[in-house]
Amino acid sequence: MSLPPEKASELKKTIHDHLIKMDVHGKIREVLSETLKDGLGYGPHTFSEGDFLQALQRRGIIDDVMRDLQFINLFLFFFFTPLSVDIDVARRYLHLQVLGGKAFLDHLQEPEPLPGQVCSTFRLYLHFRNQRFQSKPVPCACEPDLQEGFLLEVHRDGIGEGSRMADCTTMLSICDPVHLVLIKMDTSNETTLVSSYFLDWRSVLSAPSGRTCFSVELLGVGSESKVPAGVLTISLELYPPLVETLNVDIITTQQSLERQRSAEKERLFLVYAKQWWREFLEIRPSHQSKLVKIFAQDENGVNRPVCSYVRVLRAGRLLESPRQAARFVSLLADEKAPLVGGGAKQEQWCSLLAFVCRGKGDCEDHATLLCSLLLGFGLDAYVCVGTRAKGGPHTWVLTRGTDGSITFWESLTAHRYLHQAIDPDAPPLAPQPKPSSPYRTVGCVFNHQSFLANCQPTDAVPLCVFDLQNPSRWKAMSEEALRSVCAPGSTTSLPPIPPLCASSLEPAAASNQLELEMRFLVAEHRKDLEVATVWDDHLSYLLSSALAAYETERCTGVSCGNEEFQDAVRRAVPDGHTFKGFPIHFLHRNARRAFATCLRSQFCEEIVSCRGDHVRLAVRVRVYAYPENACAVWIMFACKYRSVL
């Protein structure tokens, strides 16, 4: 294997710098000087290379160099592996390679894509111990060419202190799996969750060569969670290699003990939950019909306590405030789990990684993510399970202020509603607050450490009092029982919570590109109408302040900046001219889809197809980037023309 000249020079320089850092040359000169000075019977012509090597070995210099060769081997591996990561040679790494896929039978008839042709693609996402990775997209096929390498650091969360390398025993105790999520994206950029798989990587600890290769069968999701979706060939290798490996029986025994402990915890919690539910039903017979949801199925069909879907999630520098967090969650599209055939909707609560990688999910996914983020911002947040005014089950988020105020957060829209309960015992003429929220009933509320069922005489939201510490209004589950199955690491069936990833989108470039595409589509549309198109670049630029004001209002709930925009438009539109503008908001950057949607609006169609005297058109696009490549896309069409009576 050859390196490019620049890489070879860099490699030589790194090795040279490392040897200088070890002061190998100085030690060799010192040994040579002392050996000749001591006169160990060697003449100037009888002192051989073998004698000198023996002298170096006696001083331990060769052992030092050989011990340090593990750095060189590790460095060479990183050099020959196309991974752009910062390497700490004192850390242990797991090199996970995907060597291809096969038996994706849903794509058996997929035609071979032509060069440059847009086609459906697969992309693989990974999460391991607070690290996130993704593969390059590859065309969908029965045997997709998924060839990718990922370097996972085993040292996380206090494992391997200082320069101490994690040994076999330490790594055996790390039960965190590698979470693999496979996403399909079609030609219209619509995403589908293909599979969600948890890989136990510890089999590599028993591999004699430090490397193991095997196939994993990916299963489908939801109603197809028992149906194979495809097979991936995976190779695992530890760097630096282990000095001693573990016996296979030791690893198998450890995994079996972990499963047994988890199963026992889950069994005891189920016994407790059944007893708690019987007690709840004994309070009132009507409680049987309340929406009290203790367990929910994830994408793999595994029943988990609902509290395990919520965690304290901090977004670092990616989100600046609770309201911005609500805006981010609302930008993830709302889509119910697909169901083969008719009937009621299929319930599927997704793990966080599957939800954010797919970029869309049901209201439960949105509510649990928003609740997790609000908890991270220090708020007292809970997920509410109930129904909407229009009927049908729904989930949303509740926060309690220190002054006792209750605020509802709609995770699908980022709207907030201040709740004030109606007092049914108040005199008939006493003023009562008007319901402001779109929610009809609430059966239970929960977060990462609490679960409370509504045991008030009515579950109607306008009449409910959210005094959660009052046992006569809310029946709580034991926090200790919840911790036993919902705390991080409590059971092996709980997926670790991944960190949010920063957007890879360049907002300015994306805005410019989409605006150019929209101009082209408008010009083509007017050309079909046999109408000329003349753009007013100055007017287009002025529309920016309006779009900024719209996004600020969505984030904060406060309207600002419209006065400046209106003043600027008045100055830009001459007397005797008419101005029309049409703003619209999207969650995607597909120009043709967006333009087709815009033309469904009669007002927008009038602007785009405007005829008249001295017609000037304007369009402005502004893309706002959020974590996980979520984006808010604002487009505004405008025109001005001379009014003719």
Side-chain angles (χ1 to χ4, degrees), residues 359-534:
K360 56 186 176 184
D362 210 339
C363 59
E364 295 89 359
D365 305 320
H366 289 78
T368 52
L369 174 56
L370 178 56
C371 184
S372 299
L373 288 167
L374 296 183
L375 288 168
F377 278 108
L379 300 184
D380 188 19
Y382 300 82
V383 175
C384 299
V385 179
T387 59
R388 279 187 285 204
K390 294 181 180 179
H394 190 62
T395 56
W396 65 98
V397 178
L398 168 154
T399 54
R400 299 193 307 156
T402 53
D403 59 354
S405 61
I406 301 296
T407 304
F408 294 145
W409 303 64
E410 177 48 63
S411 57
L412 299 179
T413 62
H415 291 164
R416 300 164 69 251
Y417 308 94
L418 186 64
H419 172 72
Q420 292 178 306
I422 296 172
D423 184 3
D425 299 324
L429 297 179
Q432 295 276 23
K434 291 184 178 180
S436 60
S437 72
Y439 312 119
R440 187 162 62 92
T441 64
V442 57
C444 64
V445 301
F446 65 89
N447 61 16
H448 62 304
Q449 56 189 14
S450 303
F451 184 94
L452 304 107
N454 184 1
C455 54
Q456 298 173 65
T458 175
D459 58 359
V461 170
L463 299 174
C464 279
V465 177
F466 289 89
D467 178 11
L468 302 183
Q469 274 71 43
N470 188 339
S472 66
R473 299 181 186 275
W474 296 89
K475 180 173 174 58
M477 271 193 168
S478 161
E479 291 191 4
E480 184 180 350
L482 290 170
R483 271 196 304 273
S484 69
V485 290
C486 297
S490 56
T491 65
T492 54
S493 61
L494 289 186
I497 295 296
L500 294 182
C501 281
S503 176
S504 60
L505 198 64
E506 196 65 48
S511 301
N512 288 338
Q513 178 63 30
L514 186 53
E515 188 171 311
L516 287 172
E517 293 175 11
M518 297 307 294
R519 283 197 175 205
F520 172 78
L521 292 172
V522 170
E524 288 294 304
H525 180 76
R526 290 177 63 82
K527 186 177 179 181
D528 292 341
L529 298 175
E530 299 182 349
V531 184
T533 304
V534 182

Side-chain angles (χ1 to χ4, degrees), residues 338-354:
L339 182 64
V340 179
K345 77 152 190 167
Q346 177 192 339
E347 186 178 82
Q348 176 181 301
W349 293 37
C350 279
S351 61
L352 179 55
L353 185 67

Side-chain angles (χ1 to χ4, degrees), residues 525-555:
H525 180 76
R526 290 177 63 82
K527 186 177 179 181
D528 292 341
L529 298 175
E530 299 182 349
V531 184
T533 304
V534 182
W535 295 102
D536 187 332
D537 291 336
H538 177 61
L539 184 59
S540 295
Y541 179 72
L542 297 184
L543 302 180
S544 296
S545 60
L547 300 184
Y550 299 148
E551 182 61 21
T552 302
E553 185 176 1
R554 290 289 181 99
C555 273

Side-chain angles (χ1 to χ4, degrees), residues 72-107:
I72 304 298
N73 290 334
L74 188 60
F75 186 82
L76 285 169
F77 161 72
F78 295 140
F79 237 88
F80 283 104
T81 305
L83 296 166
S84 55
V85 292
D86 295 326
I87 303 304
D88 184 349
V89 296
R91 297 292 194 178
R92 182 85 68 183
Y93 293 90
L94 175 68
H95 185 220
L96 186 151
Q97 284 183 287
V98 181
L99 303 177
K102 57 186 177 182
F104 285 83
L105 300 181
D106 284 351
H107 302 276

Side-chain angles (χ1 to χ4, degrees), residues 244-259:
E244 295 181 2
T245 58
L246 294 176
N247 189 289
V248 177
D249 294 338
I250 295 176
I251 299 174
T252 306
T253 303
Q254 173 71 15
Q255 293 169 336
S256 177
L257 286 172
E258 290 170 357
R259 285 193 294 269

Side-chain angles (χ1 to χ4, degrees), residues 536 538-539 542 562-577 579 640:
D536 187 332
H538 177 61
L539 184 59
L542 297 184
N562 281 324
E563 299 83 1
E564 294 87 346
F565 168 65
Q566 292 170 8
D567 186 65
V569 169
R570 289 191 189 100
R571 292 175 179 276
V573 178
D575 291 341
H577 284 64
F579 170 83
K640 65 177 182 179

